[in-house]
Amino acid sequence: MVDPSSGATARTVTTPDGRSLDVLDSGGDGLPLLYHSGTPGGAVPWPAGIQAATRSGLRWITYSRPGYGSSTPKPGRTVADAAADSATVLDALGVGAFVSVGWSGGGPHALACAALLPGRCQGAATIAGAAPSHEPDLDFVAGMAQDNVEEFTLASKGRDVLAPALEELAGSFRSVTGEQIVEALGGLLSEPDLAALRGPLADYIAALAREAVRTGVEGWVDDDLAFCAPWAFDLSSIGVPVAIWQGREDLMVPSSHGEWLAAHVPGARPHLLHRVGHISLVAALDEVLDDLVLHRQR
C-alpha cells in the first residue's frame, strides 16, 4: 500500500524463523538507505526524511524492530540481531549494497549493520546514537534527564520490573498528537529541542510514539534490555566509513555517548554540534546524508 502523503509503500516481510516485520520503502533507483528509528518507535512515514534522502540520491527504507507496530516480538534479542533482520528486509526488496542511519536508539542498530554486514553495508551514521552501557570509560546515564535515568535503572533490573513501568508510560503515547508531544516528553527536552519540536516534526515524533506502543510495549522493553546488555558484536570490527553526529545539549543521549563512539569506532568522523539537542539534530539531516554518500565505501 502506498501512502500518498509520503510516497512510501508499506509491506510485511517474513523472516527465516517465521516472524513478521513491518517495512516502509520509498522505492526508486537511488542507493538504498536503511533508517533505524529511535526508542520507542515504529515504522511510520516521515515525509521530510524521505525528501532529504531523495535530495541525496537515496532510496529511503525503514522497518519496525521486533515488538513495535505489527512486527513479531523477539524476546531476548540483542542489538546485533538487527543485522540479520535488516538483511532479510533488504533481500525481500531485492536490495544489495546499502548505507545505514540510526537516530537515537536506532544508532546502535545502524552500527550493527556496519559491523556485521561487511561488503554490503557501505557506510553508516548515528544521529544522537547511544553508546554501549557497560564500558568502564563511560558513565552511561551521566547527563541524562531524570526520566531516562529512571528508565534505564529499571531496565537494569530486568523485564519483570521494566515492563509494567513502560506500560504505564505508554498510556500517554497511545493517542498523543503533535500538539501534545512536548508535554508527553516532559523533562527530556532541552531548549533547542523545545524550539524544534513543532509542526511536521512534532507530528512525526507523535506518530512514532503511537506506532511504537500500538500493539503493546514489547518492542520498547526489548530495546531497553538490549541496550543494557552486551551488544553481541565488536565495534572495533567495523571497517566501513562511519559518522557520529551528536548535539552538545542532548538530555536523552548525552554528548558523552557521541564522544565515546567517536573514540572507539575505527576511523569515525565526529560531528559534535553546539547549541543542538536530541531532536533538533535532525535539522542537519541533509548534511548527514550528503556526508554519508560522499564518504561511503565503494
Tab-separated table of all heavy atoms in Angstrom, residues 151-178:
chain	number	residue	atom	x	y	z
A	151	GLU	N	14.392	5.162	33.748
A	151	GLU	CA	14.041	4.080	32.822
A	151	GLU	C	15.151	3.045	32.724
A	151	GLU	O	14.903	1.828	32.778
A	151	GLU	CB	13.728	4.669	31.446
A	151	GLU	CG	13.335	3.644	30.409
A	151	GLU	CD	12.946	4.272	29.080
A	151	GLU	OE1	12.440	5.422	29.064
A	151	GLU	OE2	13.150	3.606	28.039
A	152	PHE	N	16.399	3.496	32.590
A	152	PHE	CA	17.490	2.542	32.446
A	152	PHE	C	17.846	1.874	33.774
A	152	PHE	O	18.354	0.738	33.780
A	152	PHE	CB	18.700	3.209	31.800
A	152	PHE	CG	18.518	3.428	30.325
A	152	PHE	CD1	18.399	4.697	29.794
A	152	PHE	CD2	18.436	2.337	29.464
A	152	PHE	CE1	18.200	4.890	28.436
A	152	PHE	CE2	18.244	2.516	28.103
A	152	PHE	CZ	18.122	3.801	27.583
A	153	THR	N	17.557	2.528	34.872
A	153	THR	CA	17.711	1.864	36.166
A	153	THR	C	16.746	0.694	36.272
A	153	THR	O	17.108	-0.399	36.725
A	153	THR	CB	17.469	2.862	37.315
A	153	THR	OG1	18.439	3.924	37.234
A	153	THR	CG2	17.595	2.177	38.668
A	154	LEU	N	15.508	0.900	35.832
A	154	LEU	CA	14.537	-0.183	35.811
A	154	LEU	C	14.966	-1.283	34.840
A	154	LEU	O	14.839	-2.478	35.139
A	154	LEU	CB	13.157	0.349	35.419
A	154	LEU	CG	12.497	1.310	36.411
A	154	LEU	CD1	11.233	1.901	35.804
A	154	LEU	CD2	12.171	0.597	37.725
A	155	ALA	N	15.473	-0.886	33.681
A	155	ALA	CA	15.896	-1.871	32.693
A	155	ALA	C	17.005	-2.764	33.242
A	155	ALA	O	17.064	-3.963	32.941
A	155	ALA	CB	16.345	-1.179	31.416
A	156	SER	N	17.876	-2.175	34.040
A	156	SER	CA	18.983	-2.963	34.603
A	156	SER	C	18.486	-4.025	35.568
A	156	SER	O	19.215	-4.975	35.885
A	156	SER	CB	19.973	-2.036	35.314
A	156	SER	OG	19.417	-1.504	36.507
A	157	LYS	N	17.229	-3.906	36.029
A	157	LYS	CA	16.657	-4.878	36.964
A	157	LYS	C	15.856	-5.969	36.261
A	157	LYS	O	15.371	-6.894	36.917
A	157	LYS	CB	15.783	-4.149	37.981
A	157	LYS	CG	16.565	-3.149	38.836
A	157	LYS	CD	15.652	-2.401	39.795
A	157	LYS	CE	16.458	-1.407	40.636
A	157	LYS	NZ	15.602	-0.632	41.563
A	158	GLY	N	15.708	-5.859	34.937
A	158	GLY	CA	15.094	-6.938	34.183
A	158	GLY	C	13.691	-6.667	33.699
A	158	GLY	O	13.042	-5.681	34.055
A	159	ARG	N	13.208	-7.561	32.853
A	159	ARG	CA	11.924	-7.430	32.179
A	159	ARG	C	10.768	-7.267	33.163
A	159	ARG	O	9.872	-6.449	32.948
A	159	ARG	CB	11.687	-8.657	31.292
A	159	ARG	CG	10.344	-8.677	30.556
A	159	ARG	CD	10.206	-9.938	29.710
A	159	ARG	NE	11.293	-10.041	28.755
A	159	ARG	CZ	11.272	-9.458	27.555
A	159	ARG	NH1	10.212	-8.745	27.179
A	159	ARG	NH2	12.289	-9.587	26.742
A	160	ASP	N	10.745	-8.072	34.223
A	160	ASP	CA	9.594	-8.067	35.120
A	160	ASP	C	9.436	-6.741	35.852
A	160	ASP	O	8.322	-6.375	36.246
A	160	ASP	CB	9.714	-9.197	36.145
A	160	ASP	CG	9.547	-10.575	35.519
A	160	ASP	OD1	9.048	-10.636	34.377
A	160	ASP	OD2	9.920	-11.569	36.158
A	161	VAL	N	10.516	-6.015	36.020
A	161	VAL	CA	10.466	-4.694	36.648
A	161	VAL	C	10.192	-3.613	35.603
A	161	VAL	O	9.406	-2.687	35.828
A	161	VAL	CB	11.786	-4.395	37.390
A	161	VAL	CG1	11.795	-2.967	37.942
A	161	VAL	CG2	12.004	-5.400	38.514
A	162	LEU	N	10.818	-3.740	34.453
A	162	LEU	CA	10.719	-2.706	33.424
A	162	LEU	C	9.362	-2.664	32.743
A	162	LEU	O	8.791	-1.580	32.533
A	162	LEU	CB	11.815	-2.935	32.377
A	162	LEU	CG	11.832	-1.985	31.180
A	162	LEU	CD1	12.105	-0.554	31.620
A	162	LEU	CD2	12.876	-2.442	30.148
A	163	ALA	N	8.828	-3.819	32.355
A	163	ALA	CA	7.621	-3.857	31.526
A	163	ALA	C	6.431	-3.132	32.150
A	163	ALA	O	5.759	-2.337	31.464
A	163	ALA	CB	7.257	-5.296	31.186
A	164	PRO	N	6.110	-3.342	33.433
A	164	PRO	CA	4.956	-2.618	33.995
A	164	PRO	C	5.157	-1.101	33.988
A	164	PRO	O	4.194	-0.356	33.771
A	164	PRO	CB	4.875	-3.157	35.431
A	164	PRO	CG	5.581	-4.467	35.395
A	164	PRO	CD	6.674	-4.308	34.396
A	165	ALA	N	6.378	-0.655	34.199
A	165	ALA	CA	6.641	0.779	34.202
A	165	ALA	C	6.458	1.379	32.813
A	165	ALA	O	5.876	2.462	32.654
A	165	ALA	CB	8.056	1.050	34.715
A	166	LEU	N	6.927	0.674	31.788
A	166	LEU	CA	6.765	1.179	30.430
A	166	LEU	C	5.311	1.106	29.983
A	166	LEU	O	4.845	1.971	29.225
A	166	LEU	CB	7.658	0.395	29.461
A	166	LEU	CG	9.169	0.561	29.649
A	166	LEU	CD1	9.923	-0.100	28.505
A	166	LEU	CD2	9.573	2.024	29.778
A	167	GLU	N	4.582	0.112	30.453
A	167	GLU	CA	3.160	0.042	30.126
A	167	GLU	C	2.432	1.260	30.677
A	167	GLU	O	1.542	1.821	30.020
A	167	GLU	CB	2.562	-1.245	30.699
A	167	GLU	CG	1.112	-1.470	30.314
A	167	GLU	CD	0.894	-1.558	28.816
A	167	GLU	OE1	1.585	-2.349	28.151
A	167	GLU	OE2	0.025	-0.805	28.304
A	168	GLU	N	2.813	1.697	31.844
A	168	GLU	CA	2.206	2.903	32.422
A	168	GLU	C	2.561	4.140	31.607
A	168	GLU	O	1.704	4.982	31.316
A	168	GLU	CB	2.656	3.064	33.871
A	168	GLU	CG	2.008	4.224	34.598
A	168	GLU	CD	2.376	4.293	36.062
A	168	GLU	OE1	2.926	3.301	36.586
A	168	GLU	OE2	2.114	5.341	36.685
A	169	LEU	N	3.831	4.233	31.197
A	169	LEU	CA	4.255	5.371	30.383
A	169	LEU	C	3.570	5.362	29.020
A	169	LEU	O	3.281	6.420	28.454
A	169	LEU	CB	5.776	5.333	30.186
A	169	LEU	CG	6.646	5.684	31.380
A	169	LEU	CD1	8.119	5.440	31.056
A	169	LEU	CD2	6.438	7.138	31.789
A	170	ALA	N	3.330	4.177	28.487
A	170	ALA	CA	2.752	4.062	27.143
A	170	ALA	C	1.365	4.682	27.062
A	170	ALA	O	0.938	5.087	25.970
A	170	ALA	CB	2.685	2.593	26.734
A	171	GLY	N	0.677	4.792	28.189
A	171	GLY	CA	-0.654	5.390	28.164
A	171	GLY	C	-0.665	6.798	27.610
A	171	GLY	O	-1.630	7.216	26.952
A	172	SER	N	0.425	7.546	27.836
A	172	SER	CA	0.483	8.920	27.331
A	172	SER	C	0.866	8.985	25.860
A	172	SER	O	0.790	10.054	25.239
A	172	SER	CB	1.495	9.732	28.152
A	172	SER	OG	2.810	9.221	28.001
A	173	PHE	N	1.268	7.864	25.269
A	173	PHE	CA	1.707	7.841	23.876
A	173	PHE	C	0.653	7.302	22.918
A	173	PHE	O	0.698	7.602	21.729
A	173	PHE	CB	2.963	6.968	23.725
A	173	PHE	CG	4.227	7.587	24.253
A	173	PHE	CD1	5.356	6.805	24.449
A	173	PHE	CD2	4.303	8.933	24.530
A	173	PHE	CE1	6.528	7.365	24.924
A	173	PHE	CE2	5.468	9.507	25.008
A	173	PHE	CZ	6.588	8.719	25.199
A	174	ARG	N	-0.286	6.515	23.409
A	174	ARG	CA	-1.158	5.768	22.501
A	174	ARG	C	-2.023	6.663	21.619
A	174	ARG	O	-2.381	6.268	20.513
A	174	ARG	CB	-2.026	4.789	23.287
A	174	ARG	CG	-1.236	3.611	23.816
A	174	ARG	CD	-2.085	2.411	24.183
A	174	ARG	NE	-1.233	1.252	24.397
A	174	ARG	CZ	-0.759	0.877	25.579
A	174	ARG	NH1	-1.078	1.565	26.662
A	174	ARG	NH2	0.019	-0.183	25.671
A	175	SER	N	-2.364	7.833	22.087
A	175	SER	CA	-3.178	8.741	21.271
A	175	SER	C	-2.549	10.125	21.181
A	175	SER	O	-3.217	11.086	20.824
A	175	SER	CB	-4.592	8.844	21.857
A	175	SER	OG	-4.557	9.341	23.191
A	176	VAL	N	-1.262	10.220	21.479
A	176	VAL	CA	-0.609	11.525	21.515
A	176	VAL	C	-0.602	12.163	20.126
A	176	VAL	O	-0.466	11.493	19.097
A	176	VAL	CB	0.827	11.380	22.067
A	176	VAL	CG1	1.748	10.682	21.074
A	176	VAL	CG2	1.388	12.738	22.465
A	177	THR	N	-0.776	13.474	20.088
A	177	THR	CA	-0.734	14.244	18.849
A	177	THR	C	0.519	15.105	18.821
A	177	THR	O	1.232	15.235	19.822
A	177	THR	CB	-1.958	15.157	18.732
A	177	THR	OG1	-1.902	16.147	19.778
A	177	THR	CG2	-3.255	14.351	18.860
A	178	GLY	N	0.750	15.702	17.657
A	178	GLY	CA	1.883	16.607	17.556
A	178	GLY	C	1.795	17.765	18.523
A	178	GLY	O	2.818	18.228	19.054
